Amino acid sequence: MAEAAKPSDEKLLELTKDHLESGLRGVPVGYCTTSQVEADKGLFYVGNPVEAIGEREPEEVIYLLLYKQWPNPEQLSGFRRELLSRSDVEAGVFQSMKSLPRYGHPMKWFIHGINTLGMFSQNDADYRKDCIDLIAKIPTVTAAMFRIREGWGDPIPPRKDLGYMENFVHMLGVPGNKGVDNDRLVKLMRVFEIAHLDHGGGNLSTFTGKAVASGKADMYESMTAAMAGLAGPLHGRANQECLEFIKECVNTVGSLHINAEEVRSLIQGKLDRKEVVFGFGHAVLRVEDPRARLLRKVGEEICPDAPLFKMVKIQAEVVPPILKANPKISNPYPNVDSVSGALLVTCGLDKPEYYTTLFGMSRVVGIAAQIVYERCEARGGKGIPIMRPKYYYSDTGTANGEAKILGSG
Ligand code: CMX
């Protein structure tokens, strides 16, 4: 078990003017009961290092995040039945998707799907019930979004004999003429799902979802807001940008004989031109993201010789020493997005603009679990109050000017 950060009753943080306009970096605001990110170790789900549990059944890990303990065999099969029994989605959700413009970004479709799902739910603001409903239905909605937007055909209903990710791949029904091997996609999606389920309490999408829920917006409204947060290029959409970057590197050095020396000079050139080296660095971690290792392990199983994956592996070796030479870069190591896109392409999901929706499909779980805690369990069950941070009035329009403090609003 990881050593959890336990705040004492002592003063937690001396707030200074430097904390203003810093995106709340390092400002403690609450508790997260599902996961924690440790700068020198990585991500833990309820105390379990994600790298050690990345190949378990996705439903087991979802159960762990929801109930804070591993399920026994009966609990696991009961939970699976529960998810399956709630996995069907009203036809009206799909009908509404059919009217959306194909050129709209998939994240906008995904957000629309969650919002519409909320309209078809009983809307009784029962966070616990809506949490399980949303987790059960989100693979159905995501798969239908792919099929309708890509023109692959009508949505495929869930099968009651398949596991959570097996069902997703079944409902996706990626057309066979792309040479897709579904077993490989299943293997990848099981680990991808687990790797993206949760990431502590303070990441933008999670924090946004909880903030919106604090006004007692229901689970679907809160999740819609959370996913809009995830859609930004500095947050969830980084996985789309990372694949574009790897493709560009392969196109530049050629796919036949990817040579470490050429990759090294390509990366150095990018840094010299002040360009971003995608797939490297992290806002919190100061070591390699263990999820990158986890996904590279899957890559060794499903596509060891694919040029994009070879580029991922060479970059993991040659990029950190180059980035380390720049003292302002806090973390020179690979992050989770350095790998995932290259693997998805080799399994037939070759359009990077969809990758954030796959991230979202998984992250819905952690955010929903955290919303349940904040709405139904925190403060002895009362829930945390509506969020209302303080802002100082400034007529200079800049933090560099002296803020006029007019009292609380
Ligand atoms: N390439 C180029 N410059 C980088 C860099 C990288 N991979 N990582 C950090 N830097 C730069 C930052 O842009 C920043 O520059 P300025 O001072 O000019 O603004 C400086 O180094 C210091 O940054 P930092 O303290 O190391 O990192 P931040 O917390 O500011 O940013 C992150 C973190 C992830 C946005 C940044 O490392 C980055 O842009 N990485 C590449 C994009 C990427 O892979 N994103 C996926 C993140 C995955 C995840 O969050 O899980």
Short mmCIF file of all heavy atoms in Angstrom, two decimals, residues 25 199 233-235 238-239 241-242 271 274-286 289 291 319 323 326-333 335-338 359 363, ligand 1:
data_model
loop_
_atom_site.label_atom_id
_atom_site.label_comp_id
_atom_site.label_asym_id
_atom_site.label_seq_id
_atom_site.Cartn_x
_atom_site.Cartn_y
_atom_site.Cartn_z
N ARG A 25 -2.23 25.61 -8.19
CA ARG A 25 -1.14 24.62 -8.02
C ARG A 25 -0.80 24.44 -6.54
O ARG A 25 -0.47 25.41 -5.86
CB ARG A 25 0.14 25.08 -8.73
CG ARG A 25 0.12 25.03 -10.21
CD ARG A 25 0.18 23.58 -10.74
NE ARG A 25 0.45 23.54 -12.15
CZ ARG A 25 -0.38 23.94 -13.09
NH1 ARG A 25 -1.56 24.40 -12.76
NH2 ARG A 25 -0.04 23.89 -14.36
N HIS A 199 -7.20 9.74 -11.67
CA HIS A 199 -5.87 10.34 -11.52
C HIS A 199 -5.88 11.40 -10.43
O HIS A 199 -5.60 12.57 -10.66
CB HIS A 199 -5.41 10.94 -12.86
CG HIS A 199 -3.93 10.94 -13.02
ND1 HIS A 199 -3.18 12.09 -13.08
CD2 HIS A 199 -3.05 9.92 -13.13
CE1 HIS A 199 -1.90 11.78 -13.23
NE2 HIS A 199 -1.80 10.46 -13.26
N PRO A 233 -6.66 20.80 -25.23
CA PRO A 233 -5.39 20.23 -25.68
C PRO A 233 -4.33 20.13 -24.59
O PRO A 233 -3.39 19.35 -24.71
CB PRO A 233 -4.93 21.18 -26.79
CG PRO A 233 -5.72 22.43 -26.62
CD PRO A 233 -7.00 22.06 -25.93
N LEU A 234 -4.47 20.91 -23.52
CA LEU A 234 -3.49 20.77 -22.44
C LEU A 234 -3.89 19.65 -21.47
O LEU A 234 -3.16 19.33 -20.55
CB LEU A 234 -3.37 22.08 -21.65
CG LEU A 234 -2.80 23.26 -22.40
CD1 LEU A 234 -2.59 24.44 -21.46
CD2 LEU A 234 -1.48 22.90 -23.09
N HIS A 235 -5.07 19.10 -21.66
CA HIS A 235 -5.53 18.04 -20.73
C HIS A 235 -5.75 16.77 -21.55
O HIS A 235 -4.79 16.20 -22.06
CB HIS A 235 -6.78 18.55 -20.01
CG HIS A 235 -7.23 17.72 -18.85
ND1 HIS A 235 -6.46 16.77 -18.25
CD2 HIS A 235 -8.42 17.71 -18.16
CE1 HIS A 235 -7.13 16.20 -17.27
NE2 HIS A 235 -8.32 16.75 -17.19
N ALA A 238 -4.28 15.84 -25.18
CA ALA A 238 -2.83 15.65 -25.41
C ALA A 238 -2.56 14.32 -26.08
O ALA A 238 -1.59 14.19 -26.84
CB ALA A 238 -2.07 15.76 -24.09
N ASN A 239 -3.41 13.30 -25.86
CA ASN A 239 -3.12 12.00 -26.50
C ASN A 239 -3.28 12.07 -28.02
O ASN A 239 -2.56 11.40 -28.75
CB ASN A 239 -3.91 10.85 -25.86
CG ASN A 239 -5.41 10.99 -25.95
OD1 ASN A 239 -5.93 11.90 -26.58
ND2 ASN A 239 -6.14 10.07 -25.32
N GLU A 241 -2.61 14.86 -29.76
CA GLU A 241 -1.42 15.60 -30.22
C GLU A 241 -0.19 14.68 -30.22
O GLU A 241 0.67 14.77 -31.09
CB GLU A 241 -1.14 16.81 -29.30
CG GLU A 241 -2.34 17.68 -28.99
CD GLU A 241 -2.79 18.53 -30.17
OE1 GLU A 241 -2.02 18.68 -31.12
OE2 GLU A 241 -3.95 19.01 -30.13
N CYS A 242 -0.11 13.79 -29.23
CA CYS A 242 1.07 12.91 -29.12
C CYS A 242 1.18 11.98 -30.32
O CYS A 242 2.28 11.74 -30.82
CB CYS A 242 1.02 12.09 -27.83
SG CYS A 242 1.47 13.06 -26.40
N LEU A 271 13.63 20.93 -29.95
CA LEU A 271 13.87 21.73 -28.75
C LEU A 271 14.55 23.05 -29.09
O LEU A 271 14.20 24.09 -28.54
CB LEU A 271 14.73 20.94 -27.76
CG LEU A 271 13.99 19.95 -26.89
CD1 LEU A 271 14.97 19.22 -25.99
CD2 LEU A 271 12.92 20.63 -26.05
N LYS A 274 12.29 25.52 -29.99
CA LYS A 274 11.34 25.80 -28.90
C LYS A 274 10.00 25.11 -29.12
O LYS A 274 8.95 25.60 -28.72
CB LYS A 274 11.10 27.31 -28.69
CG LYS A 274 12.36 28.14 -28.57
CD LYS A 274 12.63 28.49 -27.12
CE LYS A 274 13.89 29.29 -26.89
NZ LYS A 274 15.12 28.53 -26.84
N GLU A 275 10.02 23.97 -29.78
CA GLU A 275 8.78 23.21 -29.98
C GLU A 275 8.58 22.23 -28.82
O GLU A 275 9.54 21.86 -28.14
CB GLU A 275 8.84 22.44 -31.31
CG GLU A 275 8.80 23.36 -32.52
CD GLU A 275 9.03 22.63 -33.84
OE1 GLU A 275 8.87 21.38 -33.88
OE2 GLU A 275 9.38 23.30 -34.81
N VAL A 276 7.34 21.79 -28.65
CA VAL A 276 7.02 20.85 -27.57
C VAL A 276 7.39 19.43 -28.01
O VAL A 276 7.13 19.03 -29.14
CB VAL A 276 5.50 20.90 -27.25
CG1 VAL A 276 5.13 19.83 -26.24
CG2 VAL A 276 5.13 22.27 -26.74
N VAL A 277 8.01 18.69 -27.10
CA VAL A 277 8.27 17.27 -27.37
C VAL A 277 7.12 16.50 -26.70
O VAL A 277 7.12 16.29 -25.48
CB VAL A 277 9.65 16.84 -26.80
CG1 VAL A 277 9.88 15.36 -27.04
CG2 VAL A 277 10.73 17.66 -27.46
N PHE A 278 6.14 16.15 -27.50
CA PHE A 278 4.91 15.54 -26.95
C PHE A 278 5.20 14.15 -26.39
O PHE A 278 6.06 13.41 -26.89
CB PHE A 278 3.83 15.46 -28.03
CG PHE A 278 3.18 16.79 -28.28
CD1 PHE A 278 3.58 17.60 -29.33
CD2 PHE A 278 2.20 17.25 -27.41
CE1 PHE A 278 2.99 18.83 -29.53
CE2 PHE A 278 1.60 18.48 -27.61
CZ PHE A 278 2.00 19.28 -28.68
N GLY A 279 4.46 13.81 -25.33
CA GLY A 279 4.62 12.48 -24.73
C GLY A 279 5.64 12.46 -23.61
O GLY A 279 5.88 11.40 -23.02
N PHE A 280 6.22 13.62 -23.31
CA PHE A 280 7.23 13.68 -22.26
C PHE A 280 6.91 14.83 -21.32
O PHE A 280 6.46 15.87 -21.76
CB PHE A 280 8.63 13.85 -22.87
CG PHE A 280 9.05 12.61 -23.60
CD1 PHE A 280 8.59 12.39 -24.88
CD2 PHE A 280 9.84 11.66 -22.98
CE1 PHE A 280 8.90 11.22 -25.56
CE2 PHE A 280 10.16 10.48 -23.64
CZ PHE A 280 9.70 10.26 -24.94
N GLY A 281 7.16 14.59 -20.03
CA GLY A 281 6.91 15.63 -19.03
C GLY A 281 5.60 15.37 -18.30
O GLY A 281 4.74 14.60 -18.75
N HIS A 282 5.47 16.00 -17.16
CA HIS A 282 4.24 15.85 -16.37
C HIS A 282 4.15 16.96 -15.34
O HIS A 282 5.18 17.43 -14.83
CB HIS A 282 4.22 14.49 -15.65
CG HIS A 282 2.84 14.08 -15.27
ND1 HIS A 282 2.26 14.46 -14.09
CD2 HIS A 282 1.93 13.34 -15.93
CE1 HIS A 282 1.04 13.96 -14.03
NE2 HIS A 282 0.81 13.28 -15.14
N ALA A 283 2.92 17.37 -15.05
CA ALA A 283 2.73 18.46 -14.09
C ALA A 283 3.02 18.02 -12.65
O ALA A 283 3.39 18.84 -11.82
CB ALA A 283 1.30 19.00 -14.19
N VAL A 284 2.84 16.75 -12.34
CA VAL A 284 3.03 16.28 -10.96
C VAL A 284 4.16 15.25 -10.86
O VAL A 284 5.02 15.34 -9.98
CB VAL A 284 1.71 15.65 -10.42
CG1 VAL A 284 1.90 15.15 -9.00
CG2 VAL A 284 0.56 16.65 -10.48
N LEU A 285 4.16 14.27 -11.75
CA LEU A 285 5.16 13.18 -11.66
C LEU A 285 6.57 13.70 -11.90
O LEU A 285 6.79 14.57 -12.74
CB LEU A 285 4.85 12.10 -12.70
CG LEU A 285 3.61 11.26 -12.47
CD1 LEU A 285 3.39 10.31 -13.64
CD2 LEU A 285 3.75 10.46 -11.18
N ARG A 286 7.52 13.10 -11.22
CA ARG A 286 8.92 13.42 -11.45
C ARG A 286 9.72 12.16 -11.81
O ARG A 286 10.94 12.10 -11.70
CB ARG A 286 9.53 14.10 -10.19
CG ARG A 286 8.91 15.45 -9.91
CD ARG A 286 9.19 16.45 -11.05
NE ARG A 286 8.44 17.70 -10.92
CZ ARG A 286 7.37 18.01 -11.65
NH1 ARG A 286 6.88 17.17 -12.55
NH2 ARG A 286 6.76 19.17 -11.52
N ASP A 289 6.08 7.90 -16.05
CA ASP A 289 4.72 7.49 -15.70
C ASP A 289 4.63 5.96 -15.82
O ASP A 289 4.85 5.41 -16.90
CB ASP A 289 3.73 8.16 -16.68
CG ASP A 289 2.28 7.95 -16.27
OD1 ASP A 289 2.01 6.95 -15.58
OD2 ASP A 289 1.44 8.77 -16.65
N ARG A 291 2.28 4.13 -16.14
CA ARG A 291 1.28 3.72 -17.13
C ARG A 291 1.90 3.65 -18.52
O ARG A 291 1.45 2.90 -19.38
CB ARG A 291 0.09 4.69 -17.11
CG ARG A 291 -0.64 4.70 -15.78
CD ARG A 291 -1.69 5.79 -15.72
NE ARG A 291 -1.12 7.12 -15.94
CZ ARG A 291 -1.83 8.21 -16.18
NH1 ARG A 291 -3.14 8.15 -16.21
NH2 ARG A 291 -1.22 9.37 -16.35
N VAL A 319 14.98 10.40 -25.66
CA VAL A 319 14.48 11.73 -25.31
C VAL A 319 14.87 12.17 -23.88
O VAL A 319 15.33 13.30 -23.71
CB VAL A 319 12.94 11.83 -25.53
CG1 VAL A 319 12.41 13.15 -25.00
CG2 VAL A 319 12.60 11.68 -27.01
N LEU A 323 16.15 15.98 -22.79
CA LEU A 323 15.34 16.93 -22.00
C LEU A 323 16.02 17.26 -20.67
O LEU A 323 15.89 18.38 -20.16
CB LEU A 323 13.93 16.36 -21.75
CG LEU A 323 13.03 16.15 -22.97
CD1 LEU A 323 11.63 15.72 -22.53
CD2 LEU A 323 12.92 17.40 -23.83
N ASN A 326 17.97 20.41 -20.19
CA ASN A 326 17.28 21.70 -20.04
C ASN A 326 16.76 21.80 -18.59
O ASN A 326 15.79 21.15 -18.22
CB ASN A 326 16.11 21.77 -21.03
CG ASN A 326 15.39 23.09 -20.95
OD1 ASN A 326 15.52 23.81 -19.96
ND2 ASN A 326 14.63 23.42 -21.98
N PRO A 327 17.42 22.62 -17.77
CA PRO A 327 17.10 22.63 -16.33
C PRO A 327 15.68 23.06 -16.01
O PRO A 327 15.15 22.74 -14.95
CB PRO A 327 18.12 23.61 -15.74
CG PRO A 327 18.62 24.40 -16.90
CD PRO A 327 18.45 23.58 -18.13
N LYS A 328 15.02 23.78 -16.94
CA LYS A 328 13.66 24.24 -16.59
C LYS A 328 12.62 23.12 -16.73
O LYS A 328 11.52 23.22 -16.21
CB LYS A 328 13.28 25.48 -17.41
CG LYS A 328 12.88 25.21 -18.83
CD LYS A 328 12.37 26.47 -19.49
CE LYS A 328 11.82 26.11 -20.87
NZ LYS A 328 11.28 27.23 -21.60
N ILE A 329 12.96 22.03 -17.43
CA ILE A 329 12.00 20.92 -17.59
C ILE A 329 12.06 20.03 -16.35
O ILE A 329 13.08 19.41 -16.05
CB ILE A 329 12.29 20.13 -18.88
CG1 ILE A 329 12.10 21.06 -20.10
CG2 ILE A 329 11.40 18.90 -18.99
CD1 ILE A 329 12.32 20.42 -21.45
N SER A 330 10.95 19.99 -15.61
CA SER A 330 10.95 19.28 -14.32
C SER A 330 10.93 17.77 -14.49
O SER A 330 11.37 17.05 -13.62
CB SER A 330 9.72 19.68 -13.49
OG SER A 330 9.43 21.02 -13.64
N ASN A 331 10.35 17.29 -15.57
CA ASN A 331 10.25 15.83 -15.74
C ASN A 331 10.58 15.47 -17.20
O ASN A 331 9.80 15.79 -18.10
CB ASN A 331 8.82 15.38 -15.39
CG ASN A 331 8.61 13.89 -15.63
OD1 ASN A 331 9.45 13.21 -16.23
ND2 ASN A 331 7.49 13.37 -15.17
N PRO A 332 11.71 14.82 -17.43
CA PRO A 332 12.10 14.52 -18.82
C PRO A 332 11.60 13.16 -19.30
O PRO A 332 11.96 12.71 -20.38
CB PRO A 332 13.63 14.49 -18.71
CG PRO A 332 13.89 13.99 -17.31
CD PRO A 332 12.75 14.47 -16.45
N TYR A 333 10.76 12.50 -18.51
CA TYR A 333 10.43 11.09 -18.78
C TYR A 333 9.11 10.94 -19.55
O TYR A 333 8.26 11.83 -19.55
CB TYR A 333 10.36 10.31 -17.47
CG TYR A 333 11.65 10.39 -16.70
CD1 TYR A 333 11.74 11.14 -15.53
CD2 TYR A 333 12.80 9.74 -17.16
CE1 TYR A 333 12.93 11.25 -14.84
CE2 TYR A 333 14.00 9.84 -16.46
CZ TYR A 333 14.05 10.60 -15.31
OH TYR A 333 15.24 10.71 -14.63
N ASN A 335 5.33 10.11 -20.58
CA ASN A 335 4.04 10.05 -19.89
C ASN A 335 3.13 9.06 -20.62
O ASN A 335 3.51 8.51 -21.66
CB ASN A 335 3.41 11.44 -19.76
CG ASN A 335 3.23 12.12 -21.11
OD1 ASN A 335 2.66 11.53 -22.03
ND2 ASN A 335 3.70 13.36 -21.24
N VAL A 336 1.93 8.85 -20.09
CA VAL A 336 1.04 7.80 -20.62
C VAL A 336 0.71 8.03 -22.10
O VAL A 336 0.58 7.08 -22.88
CB VAL A 336 -0.24 7.70 -19.77
CG1 VAL A 336 -1.09 8.97 -19.85
CG2 VAL A 336 -1.08 6.50 -20.12
N ASP A 337 0.65 9.32 -22.50
CA ASP A 337 0.25 9.61 -23.87
C ASP A 337 1.35 9.32 -24.89
O ASP A 337 1.12 9.36 -26.09
CB ASP A 337 -0.19 11.07 -23.98
CG ASP A 337 -1.42 11.35 -23.15
OD1 ASP A 337 -2.21 10.43 -22.95
OD2 ASP A 337 -1.58 12.50 -22.69
N SER A 338 2.55 9.04 -24.41
CA SER A 338 3.65 8.76 -25.34
C SER A 338 3.42 7.44 -26.07
O SER A 338 4.04 7.17 -27.08
CB SER A 338 4.99 8.72 -24.59
OG SER A 338 5.05 7.60 -23.72
N PHE A 359 -10.29 7.99 -23.61
CA PHE A 359 -9.82 8.44 -22.30
C PHE A 359 -11.04 8.80 -21.44
O PHE A 359 -11.18 8.36 -20.29
CB PHE A 359 -8.89 9.63 -22.55
CG PHE A 359 -8.28 10.30 -21.35
CD1 PHE A 359 -7.30 11.27 -21.55
CD2 PHE A 359 -8.62 9.99 -20.05
CE1 PHE A 359 -6.70 11.92 -20.48
CE2 PHE A 359 -8.04 10.64 -18.97
CZ PHE A 359 -7.08 11.61 -19.19
N ARG A 363 -12.31 7.62 -17.81
CA ARG A 363 -12.20 8.56 -16.69
C ARG A 363 -13.55 8.89 -16.05
O ARG A 363 -13.62 9.29 -14.87
CB ARG A 363 -11.49 9.84 -17.18
CG ARG A 363 -11.22 10.89 -16.11
CD ARG A 363 -10.40 10.32 -14.93
NE ARG A 363 -9.10 9.81 -15.29
CZ ARG A 363 -8.00 10.52 -15.46
NH1 ARG A 363 -8.03 11.82 -15.27
NH2 ARG A 363 -6.84 9.94 -15.76
N1 CMX B 1 8.78 19.62 -24.39
C1 CMX B 1 9.14 20.92 -24.43
N2 CMX B 1 9.10 21.74 -23.36
C2 CMX B 1 8.71 21.20 -22.20
C3 CMX B 1 8.35 19.86 -22.07
C4 CMX B 1 8.38 19.05 -23.24
N3 CMX B 1 8.01 17.77 -23.22
N4 CMX B 1 8.01 19.61 -20.79
C5 CMX B 1 8.14 20.77 -20.14
N5 CMX B 1 8.55 21.74 -20.98
C6 CMX B 1 8.74 23.15 -20.68
C7 CMX B 1 7.39 23.75 -20.32
O1 CMX B 1 6.67 24.17 -21.48
C8 CMX B 1 7.80 24.94 -19.47
O2 CMX B 1 8.25 25.96 -20.33
P1 CMX B 1 7.99 27.53 -19.95
O3 CMX B 1 8.70 27.76 -18.65
O4 CMX B 1 8.58 28.26 -21.11
O5 CMX B 1 6.50 27.69 -19.83
C9 CMX B 1 9.01 24.38 -18.72
O6 CMX B 1 9.52 23.30 -19.52
C10 CMX B 1 8.73 23.86 -17.33
O7 CMX B 1 7.66 22.95 -17.41
P2 CMX B 1 7.45 21.83 -16.29
O8 CMX B 1 7.41 22.50 -14.95
O9 CMX B 1 8.45 20.76 -16.50
O10 CMX B 1 6.04 21.22 -16.69
P3 CMX B 1 4.55 21.84 -16.61
O11 CMX B 1 3.92 21.40 -15.34
O12 CMX B 1 4.56 23.32 -16.87
O13 CMX B 1 3.88 21.16 -17.87
C11 CMX B 1 3.32 19.35 -19.33
C12 CMX B 1 3.62 19.76 -17.87
C13 CMX B 1 2.84 17.90 -19.35
C14 CMX B 1 2.17 20.26 -19.88
C15 CMX B 1 4.61 19.54 -20.16
O14 CMX B 1 5.61 18.66 -19.67
C16 CMX B 1 4.39 19.29 -21.65
O15 CMX B 1 3.98 20.22 -22.35
N6 CMX B 1 4.65 18.05 -22.14
C17 CMX B 1 4.41 17.71 -23.53
C18 CMX B 1 2.91 17.54 -23.80
C19 CMX B 1 2.41 16.22 -23.28
O16 CMX B 1 2.99 15.18 -23.50
N7 CMX B 1 1.28 16.26 -22.54
C20 CMX B 1 0.70 15.03 -21.98
C21 CMX B 1 0.61 15.08 -20.45
C22 CMX B 1 0.14 13.72 -19.95
C23 CMX B 1 -0.49 13.77 -18.61
O17 CMX B 1 -0.79 14.87 -18.08
O18 CMX B 1 -0.73 12.65 -18.04
#
